[in-house]
Amino acid sequence: MTALAKERESERTCIVTRRREPPEAMIRFVRGPDGVIAPDIRARLPGRGVWVGARAGLVAEAAKKRIFARSLKEEVETPPQLAENVDRLLEADCLQMLALANKAGAVTAGFNKVADLLAKGAAAILVEASDGGADGKRKLRQSARRAESASARENDGAPPIVGLFTSSQLDLALGRTNVIHAALASGGPASSFLSRCRRLAAYRGMTLDGAPLAAQKMRDEQPGAGGRPDETVDVIGSEAAEDRKLDE
């Protein structure tokens, strides 16, 4: 079997758009024992399943138009809040993976510590609380860009930035308080966390850093987008104080 044939064999068809995509870009659904359609985000539940592109709008459309019943060829009950339920499951899956990465010693938290890790080029992923201060985010992003230009990174680019979670969510996942900035070292946990975050961001119609896709496009088209890579990072100030407990 050719590589192309194997790739096609592993793809699934979205019941809404009829487009074929790889499983990681889709959500599987099964009919539960109670007759209610249930999301199977890890594609492990037994029984015949159907697939929907990993977009909130597509899941909502499948529920509204009773596409699940037609595809499964049997009566199913579809919760009206199915799209929101899937969002919560995808979000919880990301945070659970972050917690596992933390237990494996792959997570560093605190503004100063993350800045140091970025300066060494040792951060594979930068995590920022969505409700954190804009100034601290800007400074660490500048540090990430300098690290990118100062070293030949294996991934040939600055660390991806994840901004999909609030500070309180990061607190719970990492078992700490006042988490605004964190970074993951390269390795299996980081890769697994990033792939889950990419799916959540796509489902929400966002970029990884939490910006709406349309807003991201407009921002990228502005002159001078990305800031000046030669600006220094000032770790003294509100953001350093914000994470002081984590740096003690």
Side-chain angles (χ1 to χ4, degrees), residues 5-245:
K6 288 182 179 179
E7 181 179 345
R8 294 291 295 174
E9 188 178 67
S10 67
E11 291 179 339
R12 302 292 184 269
T13 300
C14 173
I15 62 174
V16 179
T17 66
R18 307 311 301 172
R19 291 180 55 185
R20 293 181 63 83
E21 297 185 64
E24 57 268 22
M26 307 185 77
I27 308 293
R28 183 175 184 261
F29 293 85
V30 298
R31 182 183 185 275
D34 55 359
V36 178
I37 201 73
D40 178 20
I41 62 169
R42 295 190 179 180
R44 295 177 180 174
L45 294 177
R48 178 169 175 257
V50 293
W51 296 77
V52 178
R55 304 290 188 275
L58 293 180
V59 174
E61 183 177 351
K64 181 179 179 180
K65 296 183 177 179
R66 297 180 55 80
I67 299 177
F68 289 112
R70 293 203 302 270
S71 298
L72 289 169
K73 295 181 173 58
E74 58 183 331
E75 284 299 316
V76 295
E77 180 182 343
T78 305
Q81 72 281 10
L82 182 62
E84 291 82 358
N85 293 345
V86 172
D87 186 285
R88 285 193 291 270
L89 288 172
L90 293 176
E91 183 179 76
D93 194 39
C94 292
L95 292 169
Q96 182 181 29
M97 192 63 235
L98 180 62
L100 291 174
N102 185 52
K103 289 180 180 179
V107 180
T108 297
F111 184 86
N112 290 340
K113 292 178 181 178
V114 171
D116 290 342
L117 202 66
L118 287 169
K120 296 174 184 176
I125 303 171
L126 178 61
V127 181
E128 300 175 337
S130 59
D131 51 351
D135 188 53
K137 293 179 181 180
R138 176 181 59 81
K139 292 173 181 176
L140 286 183
R141 292 182 187 203
Q142 291 164 1
S143 182
R145 285 192 291 273
R146 281 199 308 279
E148 174 191 2
S149 60
S151 63
R153 295 180 56 85
E154 290 183 3
N155 63 358
D156 194 27
I161 300 169
V162 175
L164 303 171
F165 314 108
T166 65
S167 176
S168 61
Q169 288 176 314
L170 296 177
D171 289 351
L172 289 172
L174 299 179
R176 311 186 190 197
T177 57
N178 199 33
V179 179
I180 304 297
H181 309 287
L184 280 75
S186 60
S191 297
S192 297
F193 173 67
L194 184 60
S195 64
R196 286 163 167 78
C197 289
R198 289 192 192 282
R199 185 161 69 152
L200 175 62
Y203 186 81
R204 292 177 172 176
M206 294 179 168
T207 59
L208 264 178
D209 65 359
L213 288 175
Q216 177 68 48
K217 183 178 179 181
M218 292 177 61
R219 187 173 65 193
D220 291 344
E221 290 174 350
Q222 291 177 353
R228 299 202 313 267
D230 58 339
E231 290 180 9
T232 58
V233 174
D234 177 12
V235 296
I236 302 174
S238 60
E239 290 296 329
E242 196 173 10
D243 284 349
R244 188 172 292 119
K245 290 184 179 180

